[in-house]
Structures are given as C-alpha cells and as structure tokens.
Amino acid sequence: MTGAARPLTVAVTGATGFLGQSVIAALSAGDCQVRVLARREPLALAGALGARLDVVLGSLDDRGSLGRLVQGADVVLHMAGAIKAMAPRFNLPFQIVRHSGHAPSAF
C-alpha cells in the first residue's frame, strides 16, 4: 500500500500549562495530530496550532471526557499538574496515583 502515512494522534492532559504548551507546539511542528483536554476552549493554543489541534472539553475527574480524549489516540501524554484533589471523594485515589503513579483498579 502506498501513500502518505496518517499523522500520529497524541492525546494530552495539561496542555494549557507551562510545559504542556511547549510540548504540543513541538508535537504539532512534528506533524502530529494533537488532541487536548481543557476545561474551556484554549483560544491561544487553537490559534497557534490551527487544524492540528482537537479540543475535548472536560476535566480529569470526568470519565466521559477522558474517554473522548484517548479514543483512537496512538499516544497519551499525562502532564496535568494537579497538586491536590478537587473534592474530598477524590482525595484517596488522587494520593495513591500521585505517590504510586497508577490508579487502584476500583477507581
């Protein structure tokens, strides 16, 4: 089969942060399709990256938006820099992930 290969789709959390903005700019320059999770439309990112940026509106504590973010992605970069849980019900799973690097299976 001949033809151009499809660009790598990279899903990113933390894309609007200091590190995330630089990473997605580099990914886009490297011919990747970038999909980001954002609580609101990141206008500065969209203007800079144009058609190479897909935005999934949502949050880290919403399984639906996380599912949409990673669906069909080739790579997931989790760079969100939360320093504490947003609600008490998330505190224990948050602390486990923060210290061990992975979520318990019940989470």
Side-chain angles (χ1 to χ4, degrees), residues 5-41:
R6 107 180 143 74
L8 200 63
T9 298
V10 182
V12 181
T13 65
T16 59
F18 177 75
L19 178 61
Q21 290 182 48
S22 296
V23 168
I24 65 169
L27 289 169
S28 182
D31 203 32
C32 291
Q33 182 67 39
V34 180
R35 186 180 309 140
V36 302
L37 179 68
R39 289 183 296 261
R40 57 193 154 295
E41 193 71 34

Side-chain angles (χ1 to χ4, degrees), residues 20-100:
Q21 290 182 48
S22 296
V23 168
I24 65 169
L27 289 169
S28 182
D31 203 32
C32 291
Q33 182 67 39
V34 180
R35 186 180 309 140
V36 302
L37 179 68
R39 289 183 296 261
R40 57 193 154 295
E41 193 71 34
L43 298 176
L45 297 179
L49 300 177
R52 290 252 179 236
L53 181 69
D54 295 327
V55 177
V56 174
L57 295 177
S59 64
L60 291 173
D61 61 353
D62 174 33
R63 288 180 188 250
S65 59
L66 288 174
R68 290 187 303 277
L69 175 70
V70 301
Q71 184 176 4
D74 299 300
V75 177
V76 176
L77 296 178
H78 177 48
M79 298 185 298
I83 57 170
K84 65 179 183 172
M86 293 186 221
R89 67 185 174 131
F90 295 115
N91 197 38
L92 181 57
F94 173 83
Q95 292 301 330
I96 291 170
V97 170
R98 183 170 171 218
H99 294 289
S100 71

